[in-house]
Amino acid sequence: MNTVLRALVATGLMAASSQSLAAAFQLAEQNVSGLGRAYAGEASAADDASVVARNPALMSQFKGTQVSVAAMYVEPDVSLQGTSTNNGLPANLLDDNSIAPSAVVPAVFMTARLNEQWSVGAGMYSQFGLATEFDKDYVAGQLAGETEIVTINTGISVAYEIDSQWALAVGLNHVYADAKVIRHLGANPLQAPASTEVVNLEGDDSGYGWNLGLSYQIDADNRLGFHYRSETDITFDGHFSNQIPAALGGTNGVALAGTLELTLPAMAEISGTHTLTEPMTLHYSVLWTGWNSFQELEAQVAGKPVFNKQELFDNSLRFSVGGDYQWNESLKLRAGLAYDSSPANESHMSISIPDTDRTWYSFGAEYQLSETASVDLGLSILRGKTQTFVEKDALGSEWGFKSKGHATVVGVQYNHSF
């Protein structure tokens, strides 16, 4: 593989992977009950069966069997404005008002009380996901084309109620991940079509991780919770191809074996839930994500390294506070505020999805349909900080951008107890 082609491959992988492991890739949306309060108190609030995802020790708060089914619709608003180029092309050719498609994030959970001390639970949901799409003839096509990663977490947990105050839980998680990275040549001095594919990577893999939960019931009105989830190693096995002629070191459309290694980071959350008055409850959380596990990225094609890059990501924190208000016997209202910090290194910003710190403004409600059934509705408005940066492609062009990243999340969830 010649030097120019190697550089093109490396640029494509860098653009995809540096943003795949950013806060924009981490999904908080595992339930709708938490969505309504910006996911404050997720490790301490025992709302429904979705506790399997954020602290299975809370299963000990339930009797009988609980089932929750949720769907959340995510509408991103990620736009780019070109600010500069070094190749004589007008900067406004970089403008794009929508690079991230909408998506539906589903989840399903079940818990069951076995006896006075033991509970079990299972869930299927997603904690990481990403998708961006640019036109095939986008002028900076080497930096962004199509990037997609989908993960499905299937977990099972068991909880033990030690006494009236303490409960402990452990769980095992199976993570399936599917990824696609496509990059195009874009504007180039070779006069080749801008839509020429220089990177086409597709692959999937499965990995395993574990989690640990703990809850402490201080008294009838106050509870603390802690949850830890381990790292999960993913090695995407799939194929690589491009449309570069074989004479120039390309594959000319022929698929070759390819791999890309990623580590989904560890997470730890501490939460509190406190009943302030009979109708009002306060929730808060601090969520730590161990992005420093992603220090470098190495990709291989046909068993040979084609790219190695230092990333040096930082750990990130998410702070949230929210509350519930029991309006009447049937209706509970929710609201919350959160600040989500980005781990991305400012010297490695990319237009695949320009990552940024973001603030959540959330509202929700729970309506009791009957003694055994309820429905949750939630809305979160995410506002991101504007970022300005310059990104360089493999052929030496420098592209300046101003990015804005916002999103709206709405969801509905049905809960039933038996």
Side-chain angles (χ1 to χ4, degrees):
M1 186 178 293
N2 65 24
T3 302
V4 173
L5 180 56
R6 184 185 298 268
L8 289 170
V9 173
T11 301
L13 293 174
M14 176 180 65
S17 301
S18 64
Q19 290 307 317
S20 291
L21 289 180
F25 175 62
Q26 184 177 4
L27 299 176
E29 296 85 2
Q30 278 91 54
N31 59 47
V32 179
S33 48
L35 177 67
R37 55 173 180 262
Y39 294 105
E42 283 296 279
S44 57
D47 291 314
D48 46 61
S50 66
V51 297
V52 171
R54 298 291 283 265
N55 187 0
L58 297 171
M59 294 189 296
S60 296
Q61 297 294 321
F62 303 126
K63 304 298 182 182
T65 300
Q66 311 289 324
V67 175
S68 295
V69 180
M72 290 137 285
Y73 175 76
V74 183
E75 181 64 43
D77 180 15
V78 183
S79 61
L80 294 172
Q81 177 184 349
T83 59
S84 64
T85 68
N86 70 344
N87 52 22
L89 294 173
N92 63 3
L93 293 178
L94 298 171
D95 295 354
D96 197 322
N97 61 9
S98 181
I99 67 172
S102 59
V104 175
V105 183
V108 59
F109 304 94
M110 183 181 73
T111 70
R113 185 81 174 207
L114 300 180
N115 55 39
E116 290 295 321
Q117 293 180 299
W118 293 94
S119 300
V120 296
M124 184 175 292
Y125 51 96
S126 180
Q127 289 189 306
F128 299 92
L130 168 69
T132 55
E133 295 179 0
F134 288 77
D135 291 338
K136 292 182 179 180
D137 58 354
Y138 186 65
V139 66
Q142 296 174 43
L143 305 181
E146 184 177 353
T147 305
E148 180 180 295
I149 182 167
V150 176
T151 67
I152 301 173
N153 188 110
T154 304
I156 184 168
S157 299
V158 58
Y160 179 74
E161 187 173 349
I162 300 171
D163 55 31
S164 60
Q165 291 185 298
W166 292 94
L168 176 68
V170 294
L172 178 67
N173 303 289
H174 172 271
V175 181
Y176 170 78
D178 184 271
K180 177 193 295 184
V181 177
I182 298 176
R183 295 292 179 264
H184 302 95
L185 189 57
N188 63 90
L190 306 175
Q191 301 302 311
S195 60
T196 302
E197 286 188 1
V198 296
V199 174
N200 188 317
L201 275 170
E202 294 188 53
D204 61 359
D205 187 38
S206 295
Y208 289 90
W210 56 273
N211 61 299
L212 174 70
L214 184 68
S215 71
Y216 176 59
Q217 192 75 37
I218 302 172
D219 55 37
D221 296 325
N222 300 278
R223 185 188 307 121
L224 300 177
F226 171 79
H227 185 233
Y228 177 84
R229 184 175 295 272
S230 71
E231 296 178 357
T232 304
D233 293 324
I234 301 291
T235 300
F236 292 101
D237 293 317
H239 65 264
F240 164 82
S241 66
N242 57 42
Q243 295 174 338
I244 305 296
L248 296 178
T251 74
N252 198 29
V254 177
L256 304 174
T259 62
L260 178 63
E261 295 184 358
L262 299 177
T263 297
L264 303 181
M267 292 176 281
E269 181 172 12
I270 186 168
S271 301
T273 292
H274 307 280
T275 301
L276 304 180
T277 63
E278 185 174 344
M280 185 176 296
T281 303
L282 172 69
H283 308 272
Y284 53 86
S285 286
V286 177
L287 175 66
W288 169 90
T289 305
W291 291 111
N292 68 348
S293 64
F294 186 62
Q295 293 297 297
E296 66 176 0
L297 174 71
E298 181 174 276
Q300 296 187 349
V301 172
K304 297 180 180 179
V306 295
F307 176 65
N308 185 281
K309 180 178 179 293
Q310 296 291 314
E311 291 290 351
L312 304 178
F313 270 33
D314 296 322
N315 297 332
S316 67
L317 290 173
R318 185 182 191 275
F319 303 92
S320 55
V321 61
D324 301 333
Y325 186 84
Q326 192 71 47
W327 184 264
N328 55 40
E329 290 184 358
S330 300
L331 181 63
K332 179 186 292 185
L333 303 178
R334 298 185 174 108
L337 180 69
Y339 178 76
D340 198 358
S341 63
S342 169
N345 191 313
E346 291 187 359
S347 63
H348 291 82
M349 295 297 297
S350 171
I351 62 172
S352 294
I353 280 187
D355 195 36
T356 183
D357 300 338
R358 60 192 66 74
T359 303
W360 293 56
Y361 305 93
S362 301
F363 310 92
E366 177 185 349
Y367 186 76
Q368 199 73 32
L369 300 173
S370 67
E371 290 185 1
T372 59
S374 66
V375 63
D376 292 292
L377 300 174
L379 166 68
S380 285
I381 300 170
L382 284 67
R383 304 294 294 178
K385 183 175 66 176
T386 299
Q387 299 276 26
T388 301
F389 59 95
V390 174
E391 193 170 2
K392 185 176 181 179
D393 68 25
L395 298 180
S397 291
E398 294 184 355
W399 313 92
F401 300 94
K402 178 185 290 186
S403 69
K404 296 181 180 180
H406 310 307
T408 302
V409 184
V410 295
V412 59
Q413 177 175 314
Y414 175 75
N415 311 295
H416 201 98
S417 60
F418 302 89

